[in-house]
Each structure stands twice: as C-alpha cells, then as structure tokens.
Amino acid sequence: MNLFDALVTESGMDFRGFLAEYRRAAALLHERTGDLAFRNVDLTDKSFMRWRSGQVARPHHPAPAILKHIFGRSVNELLAPRSDEQVRSLLAVVDPVLDEGEMAMTARDARVHAADAAARLLPDLSLDQLEDDLVRLARDTGAKPPHLIFMSAKELLGVARVQLDRTQALSQRGRLYRVAGQASALLAACAFDLGAMPYAFELTRAAALYGQVAEHQPLQAYAHGYLAVLYYWSGNPAQAVRKIEEARSFSGIGATGRARLAAIAARAYAHRGRADEAHRAIVESVAERGRVEDDLHDGVGGEFDFDLERVEMSNSASLLLLRDSAGAEASARRSLELIAARSANSNPLVIVPQARADLASALLMRHDLDGAADALAPVLTLPREWRGAGLTGRVNAVRTELALPAFRSAQLARDLADQIDDFTLVAAPQVLGPGTTRIALGGGGH
C-alpha cells in the first residue's frame, strides 16, 4: 500500500475524475512556470493503476510536480511503499504543510504583480466583501497559527490581483492595491513567524510597493517599519535604524501607528547600543495617544494594531538588550497585567508567551532562577504551531542567560535548559519542512 492509493481512495476519485484533476493541475503549473512539459499532459489508466499499486518508484517529469500540486506532498512520500499503520498515521496529519517552493512562488508573484496595471470596472459590493475579508483575517492573527493565516492571505492576494485586471477605475484600483498590500504584509508576518526570512523581506517590500502605488502612507510606514524589524532580526541593526527613521517620516499616521514605530525604533537603537535614543523612543511609545487615528493601524487593526500591552512587551525586549533588568521586568509585568485586565480583546497566545519569556530573562539577570522558571513554565507547554520565530528567539535568550556562570551548578537551570531545547526543536518554523532557509533563532523577539 502507498499514500497515493489511500488519498485517491479517500477522495472517491476514479480514473476519469483523477485525470481531470491531473490535467487541471498541469494547466495551472504551465501558466505559472511557462514549462511546456505541462502542456497537454496525458495519463493512461495503466499508469494510474501502477502508481496506486506501487509498481513505479518515481515517474518522469512533469508528473512529480503535478502530484505535488494536487496533494501537497512529494512524489517520494506519495509512492513509497508503507504499512497500513504508516498510511493511517500520515492521513491523520490535518494541518497544511508549507514548503519553500510554494512560499517562494507566492512571494515572487506578489513582488512581480505589484507594478502591474489594466482592465475595466467592478461592482463595489465585490470590493466591499474583499476588504471585509481582509479585516477579518487581520483580526484572526491572534486566534489562528501563522501557517493557516498564510494560506488565507495568499488567497486574498490572488483575488485582489485578479480584480485589478478587471477594472480601470482609479478609485477601485486604489482600494485593490491597499488590500493587496495589506495581504502581502500579513504574508510577510507569517513568513517571519515561520522562520523564512528571505520571503519575509520580499513580501514586505511588495507591501511597501503596493502602498506606494496606492499612495497610502500608513501602509508604507507599516511596511518600512517591518523592514526595520527584519533587519535587526537578521543582524543588521545599522540598516534597521535607517529604515525605521525612514518609516517615521511618512505622514498621515495615527497615534497607534506612531507608538508602533517608536517601539520598533527603541529596539533598533538598543541593538546599536544607543541607549539614550532607545529610552527616548520607549517614552514616546507609551505616551498618551490622543484621538488621532488612521485606517490601517486603527481601522483594520488586528495584526496592524499595536495596543499598549504589545508596546510594553516590545519595550521589555529593548530593555533586555540594554541589560536593564529592572526596566525589562517592569515592562513585561505591565504587559501581562494589561492583558489580564482585558483578555477578551487581547491576543494572549501571541503576546503573553513573549512577555513571559522576557520576564524570565529579566529575572535571571538578577539571579532569580525560581521566578524565571515559574514565568517560563506556561510558555514551554504551548502547541508547536504557536511557537513562532519571535517567541522562539525570546526563549532562546533565556537559554543564553542560563549558560552564565552563576547557574552552572544549579540543577533547576540544567532542567530548564533541557526543556528549552525540547521546545525549540519542534517550533513553528518546522512546518516548512526540510531545506528551507531559516533565520537564526537567537535574539530578541518581534
């Protein structure tokens, strides 16, 4: 028995139904790649039955790519002989698996299409629905893990691209470019959480370009600010400082967006060791916001929002970089207190674990090992899909503190270090599978 046979049986497809799906997938791949091998493909009933019976180890091109597109699994995984128990185990995996090829293709499509233009006119109702779908998805980021958000955001980006090819109305095109930019920004955040830094950069630049085409300054400011995050995460704090200063030059940004940029600036300056500027940015990030709003950070909200608990969580990481344990502890505790006070509207699975990890690092700086272990304990039980790159980086920072001479003889420190190693071994970036270029998970969080 093999997995291909089990999937065909489970779907209820006979040869005629599978052949139609096979040809449809080939046509899509030809459109995407331009590879002539995908044109007019055919498949015989005999070959189909040989695949099901496991008589063929690996069919010739383009069959492997077509099968991968249909089932989301490699041809080796589909056709390898397996026991009934092994097949049942593979069928039980329900979460979609992203691979590098799909993420690369999505990022490349977003970048290439960001400069395109054309077409006719659309009903406004269809644009209203697309915008509503984007808002719902952005606000779902605290309730769904990143690989699922990625799939939905990819679909919204595709719809926006298709509709751009159907309207010439400038007002409609501006709305569609904003949706495309916001979807690209969500895709970038997911790529970051999944540890795929090159695609996070590419998708963020696509978001910035869409914002430029739409002449939407809040989206441009958001994207340039996110580039600063990606730069300091990838070990280039000098470029992060330049990018955040560029982001803060855009106009039309509400108080929420300004607080977000100030918090990112604090981290960028802290990475550069510019303590005075970092502290000034921290003060600015928690200042009274007033009523100035914009339609991205406040209107769409969700992933684009930056409420005070998120600001405090970010500032705790900046203060840790400055080795200000008291300040970092205070910020992390304020974040947790604010979340506890209004948990109905917060994203505890996103913010709480990161604040707890920062709190653990701050406590270790003042040699409170028991307190650090208590703070980190709930974090280490999180499901794999919630162990994003930002959180994993913070947890690894705790691991670094545990390696200091003060804790070398403590059994609790050794036990906690082992638990952290187990935690990071099965973190969310593993969803991408082998072969993906990932970021180094060893710094402050997002």
Side-chain angles (χ1 to χ4, degrees):
M1 186 177 185
N2 59 29
L3 184 58
F4 173 78
D5 180 65
L7 289 169
V8 170
T9 301
E10 185 178 60
S11 67
M13 283 190 292
D14 58 9
F15 171 68
R16 181 173 297 180
F18 179 79
L19 180 60
E21 181 66 15
Y22 190 80
R23 288 172 172 169
R24 186 190 68 82
L28 287 172
L29 289 169
H30 174 254
E31 182 180 346
R32 284 186 180 181
T33 66
D35 187 343
L36 295 178
F38 294 112
R39 290 189 62 183
N40 303 318
V41 297
D42 205 359
L43 179 70
T44 65
D45 189 7
K46 181 178 180 181
S47 294
F48 177 66
M49 295 308 298
R50 290 177 68 200
W51 290 356
R52 295 190 70 171
S53 64
Q55 295 179 33
V56 178
R58 183 178 179 86
H60 297 298
H61 179 73
I66 298 172
L67 292 173
K68 177 68 177 295
H69 183 85
I70 295 172
F71 296 108
R73 300 170 185 267
S74 70
V75 69
N76 291 336
E77 186 178 6
L78 289 168
L79 300 184
R82 302 178 189 276
S83 68
D84 290 353
E85 184 178 352
Q86 287 173 322
V87 170
R88 283 194 296 272
S89 176
L90 288 168
L91 289 174
V93 179
V94 296
D95 280 347
V97 177
L98 295 175
D99 63 22
E100 184 177 9
E102 180 163 354
M103 187 170 284
M105 185 175 293
T106 301
R108 184 166 54 251
D109 287 350
R111 171 174 51 82
V112 171
H113 196 269
D116 287 352
R120 307 168 194 80
L121 185 65
L122 291 167
D124 283 336
L125 285 176
S126 66
L127 297 183
D128 293 342
Q129 184 62 55
L130 183 61
E131 289 170 337
D132 288 347
D133 290 344
L134 189 286
V135 170
R136 273 195 297 273
L137 183 61
R139 296 177 182 178
D140 272 350
T141 53
K144 294 181 180 179
H147 64 290
L148 297 183
I149 295 292
F150 187 96
M151 293 297 196
S152 298
K154 176 188 173 185
E155 181 178 352
L156 287 179
L157 176 59
V159 172
R161 291 174 53 206
V162 168
Q163 292 190 351
L164 273 165
D165 290 335
R166 294 177 180 171
T167 181
Q168 291 178 335
L170 293 180
S171 61
Q172 290 189 337
R173 293 178 68 77
R175 292 171 67 183
L176 288 167
Y177 279 126
R178 286 196 294 275
V179 170
Q182 292 161 9
S184 295
L186 293 178
L187 287 166
C190 294
F192 171 85
D193 279 334
L194 293 167
M197 185 65 83
Y199 311 126
F201 268 109
E202 195 168 3
L203 287 159
T204 305
R205 290 182 178 120
L209 181 56
Y210 278 126
Q212 182 179 350
V213 174
E215 298 182 333
H216 193 268
Q217 299 221 25
L219 178 55
Q220 293 180 75
Y222 178 91
H224 284 275
Y226 206 86
L227 283 171
V229 172
L230 299 179
Y231 274 121
Y232 64 61
W233 257 87
S234 59
N236 192 346
Q239 184 63 15
V241 168
R242 287 191 287 272
K243 189 54 65 175
I244 193 60
E245 290 174 349
E246 182 180 353
R248 299 178 88 182
S249 70
F250 289 99
S251 60
I253 316 303
T256 298
R258 291 289 175 191
R260 172 183 175 269
L261 293 178
I264 295 172
R267 190 88 61 85
Y269 292 137
H271 273 284
R272 291 286 285 164
R274 292 161 58 171
D276 290 344
E277 289 161 294
H279 281 112
R280 281 196 293 271
I282 287 172
V283 170
E284 183 181 346
S285 72
V286 296
E288 180 62 39
R289 296 188 179 185
R291 298 182 180 179
V292 181
E293 297 183 347
D294 66 60
D295 61 2
L296 177 68
H297 300 91
D298 305 286
V300 176
E303 174 63 25
F304 303 106
D305 191 9
F306 217 76
D307 51 28
L308 189 55
E309 49 256 52
R310 198 166 173 181
V311 169
E312 294 285 9
M313 179 267 290
S314 180
N315 287 342
S316 65
S318 299
L319 291 163
L320 286 172
L321 288 170
L322 299 172
R323 305 301 291 177
D324 180 356
S325 61
E329 179 181 349
S331 285
R333 290 192 186 280
R334 278 195 295 271
S335 179
L336 294 169
E337 289 165 1
L338 287 166
I339 291 169
R342 52 177 178 136
S343 58
N345 295 320
S346 61
N347 297 332
L349 284 173
V350 175
I351 301 173
V352 169
Q354 298 190 58
R356 280 188 165 275
D358 284 350
L359 177 59
S361 288
L363 292 171
L364 287 175
M365 284 184 185
R366 60 179 178 84
H367 298 169
D368 183 356
L369 178 57
D370 290 334
D374 289 342
L376 198 63
V379 179
L380 297 177
T381 63
L382 280 175
R384 181 193 69 174
E385 61 267 23
W386 289 104
R387 303 177 188 183
L391 174 59
T392 309
R394 281 172 146 95
V395 172
N396 274 335
V398 177
R399 179 72 169 81
T400 300
E401 293 293 331
L402 289 169
L404 295 176
F407 305 114
R408 284 179 183 168
S409 62
Q411 182 62 46
L412 177 57
R414 289 194 292 272
D415 292 343
L416 191 56
D418 288 342
Q419 293 176 54
I420 289 172
D421 291 341
D422 292 340
F423 176 92
T424 56
L425 185 63
V426 290
Q430 303 300 327
V431 173
L432 288 174
T436 301
T437 303
R438 301 193 185 97
I439 57 176
L441 302 177
H446 164 210

